Amino acid sequence: MGDFTAANAAPAPSTAGAFRIVAHPSPATEAERIERVGDMKFGMSFTDHMARITWTADGGWDDRRIEPYGPIPMDPAASVLHYAQEIFEGLKAYRWADGSVWLFRPEANALRFQKSAWRMALPELAVEDFMGSIRAFMSVEKDWVPTAPESSLYLRPFLIGTDVFLGLRAPKKVDYLLIASPSGPYFAGGVKPVSIWVEKDFHRAGPGGTGSAKCGGNYAASLRPQIEAGARGYDQVLYLDAATGLVLEELGGMNVFAVRSDGSVLTPVLNGNILEGVTRSSVIQLIEDQDLKVVERNITLAELREGIDSGEISEVFACGTAAIVTPVGRMGSDDFEVTVGDGQPGPVTLAVRQRLTDIQYGRADDAFGWMQRVV
Ligand SMILES: *Cc1c(COP(=O)(O)O)cnc(C)c1O
């Protein structure tokens, strides 16, 4: 198990009160907001405001504010534009039937944000500031959290080096921002299995690299393989380890699980190249709570293929905040093509997806203490 178990404790203190609020001069009208919230094209429309904190080497974290959403003027020599000094997070605010708004294990995201910052030589934002930015932001933008089933307000915190210097060094100026986009259900019209291309030529991350940091650069490197896989008719890419090319790691932005016919579950062990998903950690706990065994270890592609062929592996699924738990129906590469089970979502996949979303939307008891109310 990774680092997140400690994040189940009581809500972290927050610096929400320290944020000054600069109101948008011409915010969306109620009709415009309802239209934009209802539209819910993920990542295409944003709320009226953003949270921001500026860090300088001399002054530390300063000027906590909520300000109008908009372009961020930047010097062309800013370090993020040249050396990709950027990390991000992704989490959702969920509206419950009684109108209240909740976050799912936000401290896990705050801790991971610190870990990513450390790897990229960016300053670490205190958990209190991460939480404070979300709380202050949500107090202004609460009406943007959609009410439709399985919808949410997607929150995107990120950190960029804004140092004006073309030399390569840890930046002396950094900006933390939080923006948000109303998002609808990932699968409009019910959960559909995805197809996965197992990538043999390109790698997402290598030993000692940045695979376990949530940094934009990892995503830039995944676009070419994603395009090639798309051209071959596959939805997503599964990466193998760069050292041997034999062992499963993860998808471009989701962790992967395989269910055996005896109900036990396998997932790649965190080997330093894999991004530790909050969803991954939660899925492991939910499955173990059902008295099923989860084994975190190296899984070779050969083992997966043989298991799917023999029926020993009956389900494969991927998971992450955006798509929650996604069944994999078909896998292939240059030398094979297999249907997983009967190609339809399996019972273990659907059950864990249901349990997780029931907790997130307040339909089931939150036995793990994962949910935190913000509004
Ligand atoms: C964000 C991400 C995940 C999923 O993490 P969650 O916390 O579950 O959303 C998995 N893999 C990669 C590479 C990621 O960037």
Side-chain angles (χ1 to χ4, degrees):
M1 186 99 28
D3 293 337
F4 297 154
T5 25
N8 290 344
S14 98
T15 57
F19 283 71
R20 72 188 160 89
I21 293 176
V22 185
H24 198 292
S26 53
T29 63
E30 192 177 353
E32 285 166 351
R33 175 171 43 75
I34 289 169
E35 193 192 319
R36 272 151 67 190
V37 170
D39 206 24
M40 293 190 299
K41 292 210 183 72
F42 171 76
M44 286 176 69
S45 77
F46 298 91
T47 71
D48 283 335
H49 294 87
M50 57 192 188
R52 190 160 182 179
I53 314 177
T54 301
W55 177 92
T56 56
D58 294 338
W61 295 101
D62 196 19
D63 201 8
R64 294 163 181 79
R65 66 243 193 230
I66 305 296
E67 59 184 32
Y69 180 95
I72 41 175
M74 212 184 298
D75 192 285
S79 53
V80 63
L81 300 176
H82 301 273
Y83 308 120
Q85 287 160 325
E86 191 266 2
I87 58 164
F88 66 95
E89 270 303 325
L91 67 165
K92 290 170 167 174
Y94 305 87
R95 191 176 296 281
W96 287 10
D98 65 0
S100 58
V101 176
W102 299 71
L103 304 173
F104 178 75
R105 306 184 69 186
E107 280 98 2
N109 297 92
L111 293 173
R112 187 169 67 189
F113 201 56
Q114 291 184 332
K115 207 175 140 190
S116 301
W118 182 86
R119 179 63 184 84
M120 307 303 284
L122 290 163
E124 291 172 36
L125 184 73
V127 172
E128 289 85 339
D129 272 331
F130 186 93
M131 293 308 307
S133 71
I134 296 177
R135 288 189 175 278
F137 177 83
M138 290 306 303
S139 69
V140 175
E141 302 291 65
K142 51 183 173 293
D143 291 342
W144 290 88
V145 184
T147 51
E150 309 285 303
S151 64
S152 61
L153 183 65
Y154 181 82
L155 304 174
R156 168 54 60 88
F158 62 105
L159 197 59
I160 52 176
T162 45
D163 208 8
V164 181
F165 179 56
L166 281 186
L168 183 59
R169 69 175 181 205
K172 292 188 184 300
K173 183 167 178 283
V174 159
D175 275 282
Y176 165 78
L177 290 112
L178 164 68
I179 59 174
S181 174
S183 75
Y186 193 86
F187 297 101
V191 181
K192 276 196 280 302
V194 296
S195 56
I196 282 186
W197 174 260
V198 181
E199 180 57 57
K200 296 191 171 165
D201 296 329
F202 295 107
H203 292 282
R204 186 191 154 267
T210 57
S212 62
K214 208 167 176 73
C215 64
N218 291 343
Y219 281 74
S222 74
L223 289 175
R224 176 53 55 198
Q226 177 66 42
I227 288 169
E228 310 268 320
R232 291 174 166 117
Y234 290 83
D235 300 316
Q236 296 273 340
V237 176
L238 175 66
Y239 292 95
L240 302 171
D241 78 294
T244 69
L246 300 174
V247 177
L248 309 184
E249 288 194 336
E250 62 170 316
L251 276 64
M254 285 191 273
N255 298 114
V256 68
F257 286 76
V259 181
R260 290 163 129 170
S261 46
D262 66 4
S264 69
V265 176
L266 299 174
T267 194
V269 66
L270 300 172
N271 64 358
N273 306 330
I274 296 174
L275 196 284
E276 183 184 2
V278 181
T279 318
R280 175 188 182 277
S281 145
S282 311
V283 160
I284 291 173
Q285 291 182 61
L286 286 173
I287 291 175
E288 286 179 341
D289 190 51
Q290 300 286 79
D291 291 330
L292 293 175
K293 213 165 121 193
V294 180
V295 183
E296 296 177 70
R297 63 161 169 83
N298 280 337
I299 307 165
T300 63
L301 176 60
E303 177 187 0
L304 184 77
R305 283 183 57 186
E306 281 162 26
I308 292 173
D309 281 342
S310 71
E312 166 81 17
I313 289 174
S314 50
E315 301 174 38
V316 175
F317 66 84
C319 70
T321 297
I324 320 172
V325 171
T326 305
V328 175
R330 181 168 69 95
M331 302 181 74
S333 192
D334 41 21
D335 57 350
F336 76 95
E337 160 97 41
V338 285
T339 300
V340 183
D342 60 2
Q344 295 307 307
V348 175
T349 304
L350 290 178
V352 74
R353 184 178 209 285
Q354 189 68 44
R355 283 200 75 206
L356 187 56
T357 52
D358 282 349
I359 292 172
Q360 289 170 334
Y361 288 93
R363 297 183 298 245
D365 183 35
D366 174 22
F368 299 94
W370 282 339
M371 302 307 293
Q372 246 182 67
R373 185 168 180 175
V374 275
V375 176

